[in-house]
Amino acid sequence: MRLLLKIVLRYLLPFALLGVVLYAAVNFRLVQYGFAQLKGQAKIILGARDIDVVLGDPGFPDSL
């Protein structure tokens, strides 16, 4: 089993990485769009506040 793993890591992994790099190069705009989506979602998630904190904030309007 270890021999098979060594063979895969030594010979097949570089081809797999090359395939990923080529895919990213050919579909650059799609990859760029995906990273923009990732950045936006991360901004939303990292900026989230606990609901108890928001509801306890006296400056937060009741209408929202």
Side-chain angles (χ1 to χ4, degrees):
M1 188 66 174
R2 291 185 87 165
L3 180 62
L4 180 62
L5 184 60
K6 278 185 178 181
I7 291 171
V8 168
L9 290 178
R10 179 170 288 171
Y11 297 109
L12 297 180
L13 187 62
F15 287 113
L17 292 175
L18 180 63
V20 169
V21 169
L22 287 175
Y23 177 82
V26 170
N27 296 301
F28 180 73
R29 295 190 126 198
L30 183 63
V31 173
Q32 187 179 21
Y33 173 76
F35 277 116
Q37 291 293 313
L38 176 67
K39 181 181 173 185
Q41 290 298 316
K43 184 177 179 181
I44 291 170
I45 291 171
L46 294 174
R49 295 190 298 169
D50 193 32
I51 190 71
D52 295 330
V53 173
V54 173
L55 292 176
D57 184 8
F60 189 74
D62 291 336
S63 61
L64 296 176

